[in-house]
C-alpha cells in the first residue's frame, strides 16, 4: 500500500437511482452478514471481531465438478459429454458480457430423485446410465467460460524460470525445483520405466515402496468415497466413478472403492442405505460388498476396516489411498457424512489412528478434497506413506481427473511415483484451466520421507525465532506478514496460509531456510495462484476460536511444541490488544473504568463482558462487540473536542492496562492466553496500539477527513465503508466495502450517495479479501448474500486489473449451523433463466439485529450481470470501519 495506506477497489457510477426496501423475512438462522466458518456468527475469544462481517455465511461443497467427454458414443460418454456441456459455465464473466447459457440441468434445478437402486449381485454394472445430467429438451449448448473460483497466474513449485508472474520473487535465490509447466492441452500420461524410487537423505527412513520395475508391481488403489451432498445434490461421486470406468485397467491394478455418506446417489447402482464396496472394471463396476455396514464415513474405525479389507482381499506390493469428500484442513480434518448429521469430521489425530490401526503402508496418500495439503497433514501421513498429494486451496469444479492417471499406472505399474504424481497434477490443472481460464487451482506432491528427515530442525528454528520476535519488539512485523501471506479458503476464515510465503514475509534467516526446505520437499506443484508453494499451515488471525483445538491437535500429533508457542504467543498479544480496544470503547468512559480498584477492576469487567466471549452487544450483530448504530457511532470526543471512534489513551494508561494481566487466571476456554507475555509485552503492545482518540474527524480543504501519520496508517489493516439505509422503520444493512478516497494522507469522510448494485438491483455487499499481487496489481474478492433459485447462497464477486469494476464468478451455498466443520467450496455457475433475489440484514433503531429479509423481488437472469454504483434515495448512515493490528474495529460517522 502507498504510504502504508489501505487499498480501495475500482468504482463506476451508473445512471438512475435505487430505493432500499426490505421484502419477505427469511429464516436464515442469524445475520447473513455475520462472521462464521459455516454460516452463523461465531465469536472470537477476544474483543472486537476481526473482519466480523466480512466472512461468508456459508460453507460450500468442495467443488461443483466438471468433467471432459472422451471418445465413443456409450452411455457413459454421453454422461461425461453432458457434464462437460453443463459445467463449461456462464461465460467469461466479463463485466461487459455474459454468454447465453442453458437452463440449469435437471439435477441442479429440481434435485431430481435418483433412479431406484437395484440389487444386482453378479457381473459388471455401468455406473452412468441415469441421464440425470443431460440438458433439458430444447436447450442450447452452454458456451465455454469462467466458472469455479478466481486465480491469478499459473506457476509451479519454484516461481523462477517457469513464470515471471508467479510469487513475488521471494524464492528467486533458492535452488530450482521441478515446476508444472502451464498446460495448453490435457497432457498425455507419462510412464517412466524401471525401479526409480526417489533417493532419500542419508539419515532418512527407508521408503515403504520401491518399484520392482518392468511393470511387475501389483497395485491396489483404495478410494474412500464419502459421497455426502457432493453426490446427493450434484452427482459428483457418480461422475468420478464414471471416469474411473473409462480407464483401461491392467489386471495388475485393482481399484477398490467404498461408497457411503450420501442420502441419495445419482445412479441406480450404489445404495444410499448402507456402505458398499466396489471394484472398478473396464466399462463398469463390480459390487464386492452390498452391505459393508452403516458406520459413518467419518468414523476412523470404518476407514481402518476398509483399508484392511483391501489389503486382505487384494494384496499388493504397491498400495495407494485416496480420501474423497470435503476437507477442512489442519484443524477440522477430512470428511462430512450427511447421513449421520452433526458437525463431526475425521480429525488429523483420528486419521493417524485409523492408519496406524490398519497396519498398511502406502506409496502415496491423496486427498481429492479441499485444503488438505498442510504441514500438519503431511506430518501425520509421513508415518504411513512416502508421498502426499493434496491441495492447499479449495478444489475447483473439475477436481481430480481419474482416467488419465489410471491409464498411466496400468500401462506401467512400476511407474515412478513422482512421474505418476506429475500426471495426476498436470491433468487436474489442465482440466481446470480448460473449464475456466481463471480457475483457482493448486495441487502438490510432497516427499514425506525427505520432509520427515529435513523439516523438524529448520521448522523448530523458525518457530523459536518467530516466537522471539513476537515476545520482543517485532509483533507488528509478524502481524503484517500474517496479514499479507497467501491465505486459503479466505471466505471461510479457517486461518490457513502458505507456510513458505509466511516464513519469507516474516523475513528471518530461519524463515528463509524453512522456505528452501519446503521447496525441496514439494517435488511437483501445479498452481494458478501466486505465492503458493505447496504446503500450508494453521496460523490464527481473523478468528481465535480454534486456538485451543490447534494446541490440542499439535499435542496429540507430537508437532514441535515451539510452534504451539508461536500461535499461543501471537494470539495472546492479539487478545490483549483486543481487550484494550474494548476498554477504549466503554460507554462509561475510560477514566471511570478504573475507579478506585484500578486496572484490575477494569480487566475483571472486560473478562466478564461480551468482549471476553467475543459476543455482540447488539443481539447477534455481525459487527462483534461494537456497532456503528449504537452510541459508538461518533459518540466519543477526544481531548481536542473532535468526534472520535473511542477514548484517547495515553501510553501510561495502556502500559498499565497490559501490565495488569500479570498473574491473572483465565477462563478454561482461554487457557492458551499467556498473561505473563501480555504483561511483559506491555510497552511493545502500547507502541503498536492505534489510539482510538486519533481516529477522529478533522477538516482539510473544507472537507471532513481522517488524517493520520504514516506511522499510524501502518497500524491500520483495513478501511471499509459501512452503509445502513433507513426505510422508515429501521435500518437495512448494505454491507462493508473497500471503496474510499484519499486526499494526500487524509481519508476523506464523505459519501457520494451511491451504493453497489447488480443489474440495477440493490445488494448487500461484503468484502472478503484484498490481496496485493506480485505484479503490483490488486485482487479484491467480495460476496453478495442472495437466493439463487430458492437456495440461500453467496455470489462471489472479483475486482482486479482485468475487471476493475467487478465480475460475478459464481455462487456457493451454505450449511446450517453445526452441520459440518469442513469448509470447502465450489462455485455454481449463474446462467440465463436463474432467479436471483438478494438478501439483507435488518436492524432496529436501537441498533439490535431484528431479522434477515429479501431485498425487493429480485430478477430473472436474462442479460449480462453488471456491477455499478447507483444513487440511493433513502436516508442513509454511512461510516468507515477502521481495523487495527489487533483486530479492533472503530467506526467514524460523517
Amino acid at each position: 500500500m502507498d504510504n502504508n495506506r489501505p487499498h480501495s477497489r475500482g468504482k463506476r457510477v451508473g445512471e438512475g437511482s435505487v430505493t432500499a426496501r426490505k421484502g419477505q423475512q427469511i429464516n436464515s438462522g442469524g445475520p447473513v452478514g455475520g462472521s462464521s466458518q459455516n454460516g452463523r456468527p461465531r465469536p472470537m475469544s477476544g474483543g472486537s471481531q476481526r473482519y466480523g462481517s466480512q466472512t461468508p455465511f456459508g460453507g460450500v461443497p468442495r467443488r461443483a465438478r466438471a468433467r471432459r467427454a472422451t471418445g465413443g458414443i456409450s452411455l457413459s460418454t454421453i454422461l461425461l459429454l453432458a457434464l462437460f456441456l453443463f459445467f463449461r459455465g456462464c461465460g467469461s464473466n466479463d463485466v461487459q458480457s455474459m454468454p447465453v447459457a442453458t437452463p440449469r440441468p435437471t439435477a441442479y434445478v429440481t434435485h431430481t430423485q435418483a433412479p431406484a437402486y437395484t440389487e444386482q449381485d453378479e457381473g459388471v454394472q455401468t455406473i452412468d446410465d441415469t441421464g440425470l445430467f443431460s440438458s433439458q429438451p430444447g436447450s442450447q449448448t452452454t458456451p465455454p467460460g469462467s466458472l469455479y473460483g478466481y486465480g491469478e497466474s499459473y506457476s509451479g513449485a519454484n516461481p523462477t524460470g517457469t513464470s515471471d508472474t508467479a510469487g513475488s520473487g521471494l524464492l528467486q535465490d533458492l535452488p530450482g525445483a521441478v515446476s508444472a509447466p502451464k498446460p495448453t492441452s490435457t497432457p498425455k500420461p507419462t510412464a517412466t520405466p524401471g525401479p526409480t524410487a526417489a533417493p532419500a537423505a542419508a539419515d532418512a527412513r527407508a521408503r515403504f515402496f520401491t518399484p520392482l520395475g518392468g511393470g511387475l508391481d501389483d497395485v491396489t488403489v483404495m478410494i474412500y468415497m464419502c459421497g455426502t451432498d457432493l453426490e446427493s445434490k450434484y452427482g459428483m461421486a457418480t461422475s468420478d466413478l464414471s471416469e474411473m470406468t473409462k480407464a483401461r485397467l491392467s489386471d495388475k491394478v485393482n481399484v477398490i472403492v467404498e461408497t457411503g455418506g450420501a442420502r441419495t446417489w445419482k445412479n441406480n447402482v450404489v445404495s444410499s442405505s448402507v456402505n458398499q464396496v466396489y471394484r472398478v472394471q473396464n466399462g463398469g463396476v463390480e459390487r464386492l460388498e452390498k452391505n459393508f455396514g452403516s458406520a459413518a464415513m467419518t468414523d476412523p474405525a470404518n476407514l481402518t476396516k476398509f483399508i484392511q479389507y483391501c489389503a486382505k482381499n487384494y494384496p499388493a506390493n504397491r498400495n495407494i489411498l485416496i480420501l474423497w469428500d470435503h476437507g477442512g484442513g489442519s484443524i477440522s480434518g477430512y470428511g462430512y457424512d450427511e447421513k449421520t448429521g452433526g458437525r463431526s469430521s475425521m480429525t488429523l489425530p483420528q486419521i493417524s489412528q485409523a492408519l496406524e490401526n490398519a497396519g498398511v503402508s502406502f506409496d502415496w496418500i491423496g486427498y481429492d478434497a479441499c485444503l488438505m495439503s498442510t504441514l500438519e497433514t503431511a506430518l501425520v501421513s509421513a508415518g504411513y506413506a512416502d508421498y502426499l498429494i493434496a491441495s492447499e486451496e479449495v478444489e475447483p469444479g473439475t477436481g481430480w481427473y481419474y482416467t488419465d492417471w489410471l491409464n498411466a499406472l496400468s500401462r506401467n505399474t512400476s511407474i515412478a511415483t513422482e512421474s505418476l504424481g506429475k500426471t495426476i497434477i498436470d491433468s487436474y490443472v489442465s482440466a481446470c484451466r480448460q473449464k475456466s481460464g481463471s480457475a483457482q487451482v493448486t495441487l502438490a506432491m510432497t516427499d514425506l520421507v525427505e520432509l520427515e528427515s529435513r523439516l523438524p530442525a529448520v521448522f523448530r528454528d523458525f518457530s523459536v525465532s518467530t516466537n522471539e520476535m513476537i515476545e520482543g519488539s517485532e509483533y507488528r512485523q509478524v502481524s503484517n506478514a500474517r496479514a499479507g501471506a497467501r491465505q486459503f479458503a479466505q471466505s471461510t476464515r479457517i486461518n490457513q496460509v502458505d507456510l513458505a510465503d509466511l516464513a519469507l514475509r516474516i523475513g528471518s534467516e530461519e524463515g528463509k531456510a524453512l522456505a528452501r526446505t519446503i521447496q525441496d520437499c514439494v517435488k511437483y506443484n501445479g498452481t494458478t495462484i501466486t505465492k503458493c508453494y505447496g504446503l500450508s499451515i494453521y496460523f490464527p488471525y481473523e478468528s481465535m476460536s480454534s486456538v485451543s483445538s490447534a494446541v490440542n491437535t499439535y499435542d496429540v500429533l507430537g508437532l514441535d511444541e515451539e510452534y504451539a508457542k508461536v500461535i499461543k504467543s501471537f494470539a495472546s498479544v492479539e487478545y490483549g490488544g483486543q481487550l484494550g480496544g474494548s476498554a477504549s470503547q466503554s460507554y462509561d468512559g475510560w477514566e471511570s473504568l478504573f475507579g478506585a480498584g484500578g486496572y484490575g477492576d477494569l480487566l475483571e469487567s472486560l473478562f466478564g463482558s461480551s468482549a471476553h466471549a467475543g459476543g455482540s452487544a447488539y443481539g447477534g450483530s455481525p459487527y462483534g462487540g461494537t456497532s456503528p448504530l449504537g452510541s459508538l457511532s461518533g459518540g466519543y470526543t477526544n481531548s481536542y473536542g473532535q468526534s472520535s471512534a473511542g477514548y484517547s489513551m495515553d501510553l501510561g494508561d495502556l502500559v498499565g492496562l497490559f501490565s495488569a494481566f500479570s498473574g491473572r487466571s483465565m477462563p478454561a476456554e482461554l487457557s492458551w492466553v499467556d498473561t505473563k507475555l501480555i504483561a511483559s509485552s506491555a510497552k511493545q503492545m502500547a507502541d503498536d496500539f492505534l489510539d482510538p482518540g486519533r481516529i477522529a474527524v478533522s477538516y482539510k480543504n473544507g472537507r471532513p477527513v481522517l488524517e493520520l501519520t504514516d506511522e499510524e496508517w501502518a497500524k491500520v489493516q483495513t478501511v471499509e465503508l459501512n452503509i445502513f439505509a433507513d426505510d422508515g422503520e429501521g435500518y437495512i444493512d448494505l454491507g462493508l466495502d473497500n471503496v474510499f478516497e484519499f486526499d494526500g494522507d487524509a481519508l476523506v469522510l464523505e459519501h457520494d450517495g451511491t451504493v453497489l448494485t447488480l443489474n440495477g438491483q440493490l445488494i448487500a455487499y461484503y468484502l472478503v479479501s484484498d490481496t496485493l499481487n506480485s505484479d503490483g496489481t490488486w485482487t479484491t474478492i467480495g460476496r453478495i448474500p442472495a437466493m439463487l433459485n430458492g437456495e440461500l447462497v453467496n455470489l462471489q464477486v472479483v475486482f482486479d486489473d482485468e475487471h476493475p469494476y467487478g465480475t460475478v464468478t459464481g455462487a456457493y451455498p451454505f450449511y446450517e449451523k453445526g452441520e459440518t466443520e469442513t469448509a470447502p467450496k465450489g462455485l455454481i455457475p449463474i446462467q440465463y433463466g436463474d432467479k436471483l433475489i438478494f438478501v439483507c440484514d435488518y436492524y432496529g433503531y436501537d441498533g439490535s439485529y431484528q431479522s434477515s429479509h429479501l431485498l425487493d423481488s429480485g430478477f430473472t437472469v436474462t442479460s449480462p450481470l453488471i456491477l455499478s454504483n447507483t444513487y440511493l434515495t433513502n436516508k442513509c448512515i454511512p461510516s468507515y470501519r477502521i481495523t487495527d493490528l489487533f483486530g479492533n474495529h472503530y467506526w467514524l460517522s460523517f
Side-chain angles (χ1 to χ4, degrees):
M1 55 184 70
D2 296 333
N3 299 322
N4 296 321
R5 297 181 314 203
H7 166 255
S8 173
R9 71 162 176 84
K11 181 180 81 170
R12 66 175 168 192
V13 178
E15 298 179 352
S17 62
V18 65
T19 301
R21 302 184 184 92
K22 73 176 187 298
Q24 176 184 343
Q25 181 177 337
I26 64 170
N27 181 20
S28 62
V32 296
S35 170
S36 167
Q37 176 175 334
N38 291 312
R40 308 296 179 229
R42 176 175 294 180
M44 295 178 68
S45 298
S48 302
Q49 198 160 3
R50 187 189 293 271
Y51 303 124
S53 48
Q54 296 175 19
T55 305
F57 59 97
V60 293
R62 61 178 183 143
R63 53 210 170 155
R65 285 195 167 250
R67 294 300 180 227
R68 299 164 298 166
T70 55
I73 54 172
S74 65
L75 286 172
S76 56
T77 302
I78 293 173
L79 169 64
L80 290 176
L81 178 60
L83 282 171
F84 173 67
L85 294 177
F86 165 49
F87 283 117
R88 285 175 72 179
C90 58
S92 65
N93 284 322
D94 187 270
V95 72
Q96 298 297 334
S97 63
M98 186 177 73
V100 176
T102 64
R104 196 174 305 280
T106 305
Y108 254 124
V109 175
T110 62
H111 301 297
T112 303
Q113 185 173 346
Y117 162 69
T118 56
E119 289 196 3
Q120 303 172 26
D121 296 323
E122 303 294 336
V124 176
Q125 303 161 60
T126 58
I127 199 71
D128 53 354
D129 55 348
T130 67
L132 280 175
F133 294 93
S134 26
S135 299
Q136 295 179 358
S139 65
Q140 305 177 63
T141 299
T142 306
S146 174
L147 265 185
Y148 304 105
Y150 199 80
E152 295 165 11
S153 60
Y154 187 90
S155 69
N158 175 23
T160 60
T162 56
S163 171
D164 59 5
T165 59
S168 54
L170 293 173
L171 293 180
Q172 290 181 357
D173 59 332
L174 304 183
V178 177
S179 300
K182 183 174 182 177
T184 56
S185 61
T186 303
K188 296 180 180 180
T190 302
T192 303
T196 55
D203 58 346
R205 65 162 171 82
R207 292 192 180 274
F208 293 128
F209 168 68
T210 301
L212 300 174
L216 298 177
D217 296 274
D218 293 310
V219 187
T220 297
V221 181
M222 310 174 193
I223 301 178
Y224 192 72
M225 181 173 279
C226 181
T228 195
D229 57 325
L230 300 174
E231 172 63 17
S232 63
K233 289 185 178 180
Y234 312 113
M236 298 172 192
T238 292
S239 176
D240 273 1
L241 286 170
S242 181
E243 283 181 2
M244 296 172 203
T245 67
K246 287 301 174 183
R248 300 182 66 85
L249 296 175
S250 164
D251 58 5
K252 298 184 73 64
V253 175
N254 286 300
V255 180
I256 312 301
V257 183
E258 178 176 353
T259 60
R263 294 192 181 104
T264 60
W265 287 74
K266 298 296 187 179
N267 60 71
N268 61 0
V269 176
V270 180
S271 171
S272 60
S273 61
V274 292
N275 300 338
Q276 294 184 315
V277 180
Y278 291 88
R279 181 187 178 195
V280 177
Q281 303 276 32
N282 294 322
V285 294
E286 174 190 5
R287 184 182 296 121
L288 302 176
E289 300 292 336
K290 68 178 181 181
N291 186 346
F292 202 58
S294 56
M297 294 290 281
T298 52
D299 181 350
N302 195 57
L303 175 58
T304 297
K305 175 184 174 183
F306 172 64
I307 295 171
Q308 291 178 334
Y309 175 91
C310 294
K312 176 182 178 182
N313 293 284
Y314 298 92
N317 69 308
R318 186 175 199 176
N319 291 302
I320 294 168
L321 175 65
I322 300 172
L323 286 83
W324 190 108
D325 189 14
H326 292 304
S330 302
I331 308 305
S332 298
Y334 156 85
Y336 161 49
D337 187 317
E338 72 171 353
K339 288 172 60 180
T340 60
R343 64 195 306 170
S344 177
S345 58
M346 197 184 306
T347 64
L348 293 183
Q350 289 175 319
I351 292 172
S352 179
Q353 190 64 53
L355 295 174
E356 181 179 350
N357 292 342
V360 176
S361 58
F362 298 93
D363 176 19
W364 54 272
I365 294 175
Y367 285 89
D368 194 356
C370 296
L371 307 171
M372 296 304 291
S373 192
T374 71
L375 178 63
E376 296 92 335
T377 306
L379 294 178
V380 163
S381 304
Y384 314 100
D386 292 340
Y387 292 87
L388 171 70
I389 301 178
S391 171
E392 286 187 271
E393 184 56 282
V394 295
E395 289 194 349
T398 48
W400 288 25
Y401 183 69
Y402 285 84
T403 307
D404 282 358
W405 70 266
L406 286 176
N407 278 335
L409 180 61
S410 293
R411 284 198 296 268
N412 177 15
T413 59
S414 301
I415 183 174
T417 304
E418 291 180 18
S419 294
L420 182 63
K422 180 179 184 298
T423 299
I424 294 169
I425 293 168
D426 284 350
S427 62
Y428 166 76
V429 173
S430 181
C432 293
R433 297 286 288 185
Q434 287 179 13
K435 301 302 178 295
S436 169
S438 60
Q440 188 165 333
V441 181
T442 173
L443 192 65
M445 167 177 269
T446 302
D447 186 333
L448 299 176
V449 178
E450 189 172 349
L451 187 81
E452 191 176 37
S453 171
R454 296 183 54 190
L455 183 92
V458 293
F459 184 58
R460 182 179 180 84
D461 291 345
F462 165 74
S463 299
V464 170
S465 67
T466 302
N467 199 51
E468 289 174 350
M469 292 176 69
I470 296 170
E471 293 181 351
S473 59
E474 298 175 271
Y475 166 82
R476 189 190 303 184
Q477 171 65 23
V478 177
S479 180
N480 285 335
R482 173 59 184 84
R486 169 59 64 190
Q487 185 170 197
F488 303 104
Q490 296 176 93
S491 62
T492 58
R493 306 295 179 187
I494 66 170
N495 289 303
Q496 282 185 196
V497 294
D498 186 271
L499 179 54
D501 187 39
L502 173 68
L504 288 164
R505 288 175 181 277
I506 287 176
S508 63
E509 290 302 315
E510 294 84 358
K512 294 176 183 177
L514 176 60
R516 290 189 182 96
T517 302
I518 291 172
Q519 186 187 14
D520 289 345
C521 295
V522 175
K523 297 304 180 183
Y524 199 75
N525 183 26
T527 181
T528 63
I529 308 171
T530 59
K531 309 170 206 168
C532 178
Y533 304 113
L535 285 174
S536 60
I537 197 167
Y538 169 80
F539 198 106
Y541 190 64
E542 285 85 1
S543 169
M544 293 181 285
S545 60
S546 295
V547 173
S548 293
S549 296
V551 171
N552 293 336
T553 296
Y554 294 161
D555 183 56
V556 173
L557 295 180
L559 188 73
D560 197 299
E561 64 181 9
E562 293 300 327
Y563 185 70
K565 290 180 183 178
V566 170
I567 63 174
K568 286 192 290 185
S569 295
F570 184 84
S572 293
V573 173
E574 186 170 14
Y575 176 78
Q578 289 178 352
L579 283 189
S582 296
S584 76
Q585 300 191 47
S586 165
Y587 298 110
D588 297 326
W590 173 258
E591 294 180 359
S592 65
L593 278 171
F594 298 111
Y599 298 101
D601 288 346
L602 170 59
L603 289 179
E604 183 92 22
S605 67
L606 289 175
F607 289 160
S609 72
S610 62
H612 156 224
S616 169
Y618 297 93
S621 162
Y623 298 99
T626 58
S627 169
L629 292 176
S631 62
L632 299 182
S633 183
Y636 301 113
T637 304
N638 63 18
S639 58
Y640 302 99
Q642 297 168 307
S643 174
S644 70
Y647 293 101
S648 185
M649 299 176 290
D650 63 34
L651 189 64
D653 281 341
L654 281 169
V655 171
L657 173 63
F658 298 139
S659 297
F661 272 89
S662 182
R664 281 276 170 179
S665 60
M666 302 299 294
E669 66 270 22
L670 298 173
S671 59
W672 49 266
V673 175
D674 188 339
T675 56
K676 292 182 180 179
L677 173 60
I678 296 174
S680 64
S681 304
K683 178 61 168 62
Q684 172 205 336
M685 293 175 63
D687 288 341
D688 288 338
F689 204 79
L690 180 63
D691 184 354
R694 288 280 296 137
I695 308 176
V697 179
S698 60
Y699 286 85
K700 180 179 181 180
N701 300 323
R703 308 171 76 186
V705 297
L706 167 63
E707 194 161 14
L708 300 177
T709 66
D710 279 349
E711 173 66 16
E712 288 172 323
W713 279 121
K715 300 176 184 180
V716 174
Q717 293 289 13
T718 60
V719 174
E720 297 153 290
L721 175 65
N722 188 194
I723 296 178
F724 285 83
D726 188 341
D727 71 346
E729 298 177 353
Y731 295 111
I732 296 172
D733 180 12
L734 297 180
L736 288 154
D737 194 355
N738 65 324
V739 56
F740 40 81
E741 175 191 352
F742 272 90
D743 181 358
D745 293 330
L747 174 70
V748 178
L749 302 179
E750 292 179 340
H751 179 231
D752 65 0
T754 69
V755 291
L756 194 61
T757 61
L758 183 62
N759 284 21
Q761 178 90 53
L762 185 64
I763 60 177
Y765 168 84
Y766 296 90
L767 176 68
V768 171
S769 65
D770 195 36
T771 302
L772 177 62
N773 302 318
S774 56
D775 60 359
T777 62
W778 289 82
T779 298
T780 303
I781 299 178
R783 65 183 180 89
I784 303 168
M787 302 292 293
L788 172 62
N789 300 324
E791 182 178 9
L792 192 57
V793 301
N794 279 309
L795 301 184
Q796 180 170 280
V797 178
V798 175
F799 299 85
D800 63 2
D801 198 46
E802 183 180 356
H803 307 104
Y805 303 121
T807 180
V808 176
T809 59
Y812 48 93
F814 79 105
Y815 297 129
E816 292 296 330
K817 182 178 181 181
E819 191 170 350
T820 177
E821 287 188 341
T822 55
K825 69 179 180 182
L827 291 186
I828 303 169
I830 308 301
Q831 305 186 50
Y832 284 179
D834 285 343
K835 176 71 173 180
L836 280 174
I837 310 178
F838 303 109
V839 179
C840 67
D841 292 327
Y842 194 71
Y843 290 80
Y845 284 133
D846 62 354
S848 63
Y849 168 73
Q850 302 293 310
S851 52
S852 296
H853 293 259
L854 301 179
L855 270 172
D856 293 329
S857 57
F859 59 86
T860 299
V861 179
T862 59
S863 61
L865 298 179
I866 298 177
L867 289 153
S868 64
N869 275 58
T870 305
Y871 288 97
L872 181 68
T873 63
N874 302 64
K875 174 185 177 182
C876 67
I877 299 180
S879 63
Y880 279 118
R881 188 175 80 166
I882 314 295
T883 303
D884 69 10
L885 286 171
F886 299 103
N888 293 307
H889 297 319
Y890 305 99
W891 274 267
L892 271 179
S893 61
F894 48 90

